[in-house]
Amino acid sequence: MHSINETVFEKFPELESERLLFKEYTKEDAASLLYIRSHPEVSKYMDSEIPKIIEDTQKRIEGIQQAFVDKKGITWAIIDKETKTLIGDFGIWRLDKQNFRGEIGYILNPDYWGKGYMKESMSTLIDFAFNTFNLHSLEANVNPENENSKKALLKFNFKQEAYFKENYYFNGQFLDSEIYSLLKSDI
């Protein structure tokens, strides 16, 4: 019988790659997260409220922590081992447990773009999603103009599954979405 490995929710699953640590967010991460999520290069494609003050990211971290407690998702703070700096995050959320599917989302501090950090993060987290968490497929919902994100997904064999016209209402306007997915059998 196929089932999601719910034991991952018993204790936060800290992970490690060559240069990175993937750990649970703490409230001490709020200032770094505020810097990243409010950075114009990052917020340009987020299609969500841009945090203005530290309380905004504190609330976001509380939501991330609660989602883990409620077994609805896992979001890792990505830490550069060398500098001990928070450089982004990566989450598996909107879990569709019945169909063994989760949506991924990720951000990375633009100072770290183009250096292989997202590739390293995706390798680590895709491996966890399929081989530890026991998901069957991953999905990513991308702003069609976010070329960097689409390139990253395509490198990992994600396939464009759908293009939704004006399916997302944000900031007084309807926006398009592209949906990419990866099956366990595609890796």
Side-chain angles (χ1 to χ4, degrees), residues 82-171:
E82 199 177 307
T83 62
K84 310 278 187 273
T85 307
L86 174 84
I87 66 167
D89 65 37
F90 195 110
I92 303 171
W93 52 298
R94 284 198 185 138
L95 286 176
D96 177 357
K97 294 178 184 178
Q98 185 179 337
N99 297 305
F100 312 95
R101 187 170 174 103
E103 182 176 328
I104 62 169
Y106 41 83
I107 56 168
L108 188 66
N109 180 333
D111 299 344
Y112 290 82
W113 289 5
K115 298 180 173 125
Y117 288 101
M118 189 48 71
K119 182 177 184 224
E120 198 171 316
S121 298
M122 280 210 175
S123 293
T124 305
L125 276 304
I126 288 170
D127 177 67
F128 175 87
F130 290 138
N131 298 318
T132 302
F133 205 8
N134 205 22
L135 296 178
H136 175 74
S137 62
L138 294 174
E139 164 182 322
N141 184 329
V142 183
N143 179 313
E145 295 173 14
N146 191 343
E147 294 300 329
N148 284 346
S149 189
K150 293 193 289 189
K151 274 185 206 150
L153 292 167
L154 291 171
K155 277 183 194 159
F156 281 90
N157 282 340
F158 277 78
K159 307 280 187 282
Q160 185 181 339
E161 225 172 50
Y163 189 106
F164 293 115
K165 297 195 67 60
E166 298 187 3
N167 71 317
Y168 187 76
Y169 187 74
F170 173 68
N171 212 10

Side-chain angles (χ1 to χ4, degrees), residues 4 6 20-21 33 51 54 60 78 96 124 132 134 142 150 179:
I4 284 182
E6 295 255 3
L20 302 171
L21 292 172
L33 184 58
I54 201 159
R60 181 169 190 82
I78 303 172
D96 177 357
T124 305
T132 302
N134 205 22
V142 183
K150 293 193 289 189
I179 308 299

Side-chain angles (χ1 to χ4, degrees), residues 28-46:
E28 289 75 37
D29 296 319
S32 298
L33 184 58
L34 176 62
Y35 171 78
I36 297 167
R37 287 191 73 85
S38 61
H39 192 290
E41 288 297 308
V42 174
S43 63
K44 183 173 13 175
Y45 301 118
M46 277 191 325

